[in-house]
Amino acid sequence: MAKKIIYSAIQPSGIMTLGNFIGAVNNWRSIQENPDNQCLFALADLHTITVRQDPEQFRKNAMSFFALLMAMGIDKDKSILYFQSHVHEHSELAWLLNCYTYVGEMSRMTQFKDKSAKHSDNINMGLMDYPVLMAADILLYGTNVVPVGVDQLQHLEIARDIAVRVNNIYGDIFNVPEGMVNKVGAKIMSLQDPTAKMSKSDPTPNAVVSVLDDPAVILKKFKKAVTDSDTNIIYDPENKPGISNLLTILAVCTGKSIEDVVAECDGLRYGDLKIRVADAVIEMIRPFRAKYDALMADEAYLLEVAREGRDKAAELARPYLEKFKRAIGYVLI
Ligand code: AQP
């Protein structure tokens, strides 16, 4: 039986956050353990330059993300782990798909509108085209399932629309992928504004926990987390977003259900809950740190793994790209 193709990616646009870990990478680790799955996990470094990057820092961040993914347990022998920019087929398919995507639908994307407002001095074509490149990433491998956080669902929907549109013109070219969203932790919120997503690029001090923060820093950030003036610990994202966010983080970090965590925390003061959550995060992150440091000290090895991933990904991608090009009418040689 053919394996299920699973595709997901992460942008090295800063330092990996707790939100990225809980919403994405933590699941990748378990999905790759199913022998019926062929997983591809990419560093979406082409997407990253839709926002201007300092070259030296960008390279550092990319290597850091790659090492972190490995340290967190993404296994190069179980999954294909690679840099998006190393597989040129992504860019080529993105161009082709551009010609099957409408300007109107791209200009309506929430992320495009948000990022255009945040980076009004640099509303580049790439920012608008981000979802088409993401569609190319996914469709290039005949992907069946895309694990994502809630924030990326709109882009996944567009990828599905583009796939259906192409299939309606040329026949059965692309698989139409399904999304896979966590039941718990699909949207970890900012610690300073629990109505907004925790994002790598958020400049607000103490809003974002990075998975590379020292334990003392993590504790300080949680102690300063914005909650409410009430004293009840209940899970109610709408009316108590701060407390609910803390409970979600605690549940994921301890592997317990929200109900169990709420029951265990009943009667705690908010200050004690914050310390409990911080401790759980610190414990969850601790094992990665030593592995990460060792990997970062061996760039030659990281690059070797990246080359291996690139070759495997490109080999899978080529037939899909060729099939589409043949259908369009390109002369293939
Ligand atoms: N706060 C979050 N909670 C749950 N999941 C999240 N993801 C991101 N933030 C959260 C998920 O992580 C995966 C990789 O995301 P990305 O790096 O490709 O892009 P992003 O969603 O734009 O992440 P950031 O942190 O907000 O980056 P910046 O600040 O650079 O835009 C995706 O599956 C995403 O859903």
Side-chain angles (χ1 to χ4, degrees), residues 8-15 17-25 28 44 47-48 51 53 65 111 115 118 130 147-153 182 185-190 196-202:
S8 203
I10 188 161
Q11 293 187 75
S13 51
I15 299 177
T17 70
L18 187 61
N20 295 138
F21 178 74
I22 290 178
V25 183
W28 299 359
H47 280 103
T48 310
V51 173
Q53 305 290 322
F65 260 79
Q111 180 179 288
K115 293 220 163 165
K118 262 193 214 155
Y130 182 114
V148 277
V150 164
D151 60 312
Q152 290 295 340
L153 280 178
N182 278 350
K187 194 172 184 186
I188 299 299
M189 311 310 268
S190 153
K197 186 186 85 151
M198 183 182 284
S199 265
K200 290 175 216 104
S201 53
D202 187 338

Side-chain angles (χ1 to χ4, degrees), residues 109-263:
M109 292 288 104
T110 307
Q111 180 179 288
F112 173 63
K113 289 194 265 185
D114 288 352
K115 293 220 163 165
S116 301
K118 262 193 214 155
H119 305 280
S120 54
D121 56 333
N122 182 23
I123 306 177
N124 58 72
M125 282 305 297
L127 202 57
M128 193 177 195
D129 210 23
Y130 182 114
V132 180
L133 180 57
M134 181 167 153
D137 295 345
I138 295 166
L139 301 181
L140 192 53
Y141 299 99
T143 300
N144 303 106
V145 178
V146 186
V148 277
V150 164
D151 60 312
Q152 290 295 340
L153 280 178
Q154 193 182 37
H155 290 164
L156 180 62
E157 211 36 58
I158 279 287
R160 289 166 53 86
D161 290 349
I162 295 172
V164 169
R165 191 172 297 155
V166 167
N167 290 348
N168 283 341
I169 302 172
Y170 300 109
D172 185 21
I173 304 294
F174 295 124
N175 274 343
V176 181
E178 300 291 334
M180 182 198 265
V181 177
N182 278 350
K183 284 202 185 72
V184 179
K187 194 172 184 186
I188 299 299
M189 311 310 268
S190 153
L191 296 188
Q192 287 302 306
D193 174 4
T195 60
K197 186 186 85 151
M198 183 182 284
S199 265
K200 290 175 216 104
S201 53
D202 187 338
T204 317
N206 301 319
V208 182
V209 174
S210 139
V211 296
L212 293 175
D213 279 343
D214 286 331
V217 174
I218 295 178
L219 181 60
K220 188 189 89 186
K221 288 181 177 174
F222 276 103
K223 279 186 171 172
K224 289 184 184 292
V226 169
T227 48
D228 52 53
S229 52
D230 195 1
T231 53
N232 295 329
I233 295 184
I234 47 173
Y235 184 75
D236 178 356
E238 205 165 305
N239 298 308
K240 292 173 75 72
I243 290 296
S244 302
N245 193 36
L246 293 179
L247 291 168
T248 301
I249 295 171
L250 186 58
V252 175
C253 292
T254 56
K256 295 179 180 164
S257 68
I258 294 278
E259 292 75 22
D260 286 350
V261 159
V262 171

Side-chain angles (χ1 to χ4, degrees), residues 95 119 155 184 270 302 326:
W95 173 256
H119 305 280
H155 290 164
V184 179
Y270 279 4
L302 293 176
R326 189 171 289 113

